[in-house]
Amino acid sequence: MLQTNRFDNRTLGKIVLGVAMGTLILYGLTVGLLGLSFAKDKKKTKQALRKATKALENILPAFLVVILLVGILLALMDPQFITSLIGRDSGAWGTLLALLVGSATLIPGFVAFPTAAMLLQGGAGYMQIGAFVSSLMMVGVVTFPIEKTYFGIKLTVLRNALAFLFSIVVALGIGYVMGEL
């Protein structure tokens, strides 16, 4: 079943163009500021670029593995299966499943958003993907042991519980806006 939303092709075209222009502006601003930084202090700028390259080298393998695994899963699972688990018609159970999986998963944001896009293309519902991504970004089941060391168990439980509740609010808001409620 194809999902419909409140946007027509003309509106979507304007959104895509706006996003593309915004991206070009950000890239231009970044290059300009990098040039300014280089003009001000070449040594520090080169050092920062080396650190950024090292960080990219550290992150890239995990990013590629997750994208590869999601790609394989999407190739193996047909859209009907994805739709039955977290599709638009999966309702509260699909949203709860997405909340739980997102809460128990540790994926960086730059991996989570392309993954969410692939799942949407595979038949997932907007509300369920909203639940998945928001709980993924805010709830820290995997990071709980580290977090409780610094903040204590009471504050860690409270923060995670509030983040989980807010993820539900986000999912419901996205479901309402996208016409899934």
Side-chain angles (χ1 to χ4, degrees):
M1 178 175 148
L2 290 175
Q3 294 183 11
T4 59
N5 56 38
R6 298 178 184 174
F7 300 118
D8 60 6
N9 287 338
R10 184 179 225 171
T11 305
L12 286 174
K14 288 179 182 178
I15 291 170
V16 169
L17 182 61
V19 169
M21 291 300 297
T23 301
L24 286 175
I25 290 168
L26 286 175
Y27 280 142
L29 186 62
T30 301
V31 168
L33 290 174
L34 182 63
L36 183 66
S37 175
F38 194 77
K40 185 171 180 168
D41 192 339
K42 292 178 185 177
K43 184 179 178 183
K44 282 186 179 181
T45 303
K46 287 179 181 179
Q47 183 181 10
L49 287 172
R50 279 193 295 275
K51 285 183 179 183
T53 302
K54 183 71 174 166
L56 179 64
E57 288 172 355
N58 290 336
I59 292 170
L60 196 57
F63 177 73
L64 293 175
V65 167
V66 170
I67 294 296
L68 181 67
L69 288 174
V70 169
I72 290 170
L73 285 173
L74 288 174
L76 295 176
M77 289 188 237
D78 61 342
Q80 289 79 16
F81 182 71
I82 294 171
T83 302
S84 70
L85 287 179
I86 56 171
R88 183 179 192 172
D89 296 329
S90 66
W93 291 113
T95 305
L96 180 62
L97 176 65
L99 283 165
L100 294 174
V101 169
S103 297
T105 308
L106 182 62
I107 302 174
F110 66 88
V111 177
F113 294 112
T115 302
M118 286 188 270
L119 288 169
L120 279 171
Q121 290 172 348
Y126 287 103
M127 185 167 65
Q128 290 76 9
I129 292 301
F132 171 71
V133 171
S134 61
S135 64
L136 178 69
M137 294 289 108
M138 294 189 292
V139 181
V141 172
V142 175
T143 59
F144 189 88
I146 297 168
E147 194 175 337
K148 78 174 183 177
T149 302
Y150 290 101
F151 301 122
I153 195 159
K154 186 176 179 181
L155 185 60
T156 302
V157 168
L158 179 64
R159 191 204 65 77
N160 279 292
L162 290 173
F164 190 82
L165 290 174
F166 188 70
S167 295
I168 294 170
V169 171
V170 167
L172 292 172
I174 290 172
Y176 176 76
V177 169
M178 298 308 292
E180 293 182 355
L181 285 179

